[in-house]
Amino acid sequence: GVAAAMEEGEGLLSVDYEVFGKVQGVFFRKYTQGEAKRLGLVGWVQNTSHGTVQGQIQGPTARVRELQDWLRKIGSPQSRISRADFSNEKEITALEHKDFQILK
């Protein structure tokens, strides 16, 4: 879990993301939530008005990197990702979300 990862000296990371391509209407948010929960990450995901998906990921650094790779390359089965942008990356001392939510 997160506590064990922290004891190993691995910090917590927070990063914002935006995914471009055919990422709306393809269950992208549902799959992102599922993958984040599988990795034990918290944060959120939502559709934007300009056809992208955006959100925030928080958790142990290695797990955050895994989800970043997933957002960049995999996504939901019907999605077509052209690119994923990441910003506001910072180390945090505590998680700011309780779970990983899909926001409307």
Side-chain angles (χ1 to χ4, degrees):
V2 171
M6 287 192 68
E7 279 166 26
E8 289 159 21
E10 182 182 24
L12 294 173
L13 202 65
S14 174
V15 65
D16 297 344
Y17 63 89
E18 185 169 11
V19 186
F20 298 78
K22 186 189 170 196
V23 293
Q24 288 193 11
V26 291
F27 301 102
F28 200 92
R29 292 172 300 170
K30 182 171 172 279
Y31 276 88
T32 301
Q33 181 187 48
E35 190 67 11
K37 288 190 167 182
R38 187 182 74 76
L39 290 167
L41 299 171
V42 301
W44 52 273
V45 59
Q46 72 180 69
N47 285 341
T48 70
S49 57
H50 51 275
T52 65
V53 168
Q54 69 178 15
Q56 187 176 68
I57 318 162
Q58 294 186 346
T61 302
R63 299 289 177 89
V64 170
R65 296 282 179 247
E66 279 189 59
L67 190 61
Q68 284 180 295
D69 266 358
W70 186 89
L71 287 166
R72 207 180 271 120
K73 300 173 189 151
I74 301 169
S76 67
Q78 273 89 48
S79 66
R80 295 288 176 270
I81 300 164
S82 56
R83 77 175 202 273
D85 289 352
F86 300 99
S87 59
N88 300 321
E89 186 173 300
K90 59 182 187 286
E91 287 187 10
I92 53 173
T93 52
L95 299 173
E96 295 160 357
H97 310 283
K98 281 197 278 294
D99 53 16
F100 197 94
Q101 293 186 306
I102 296 175
L103 303 183
K104 291 288 178 266

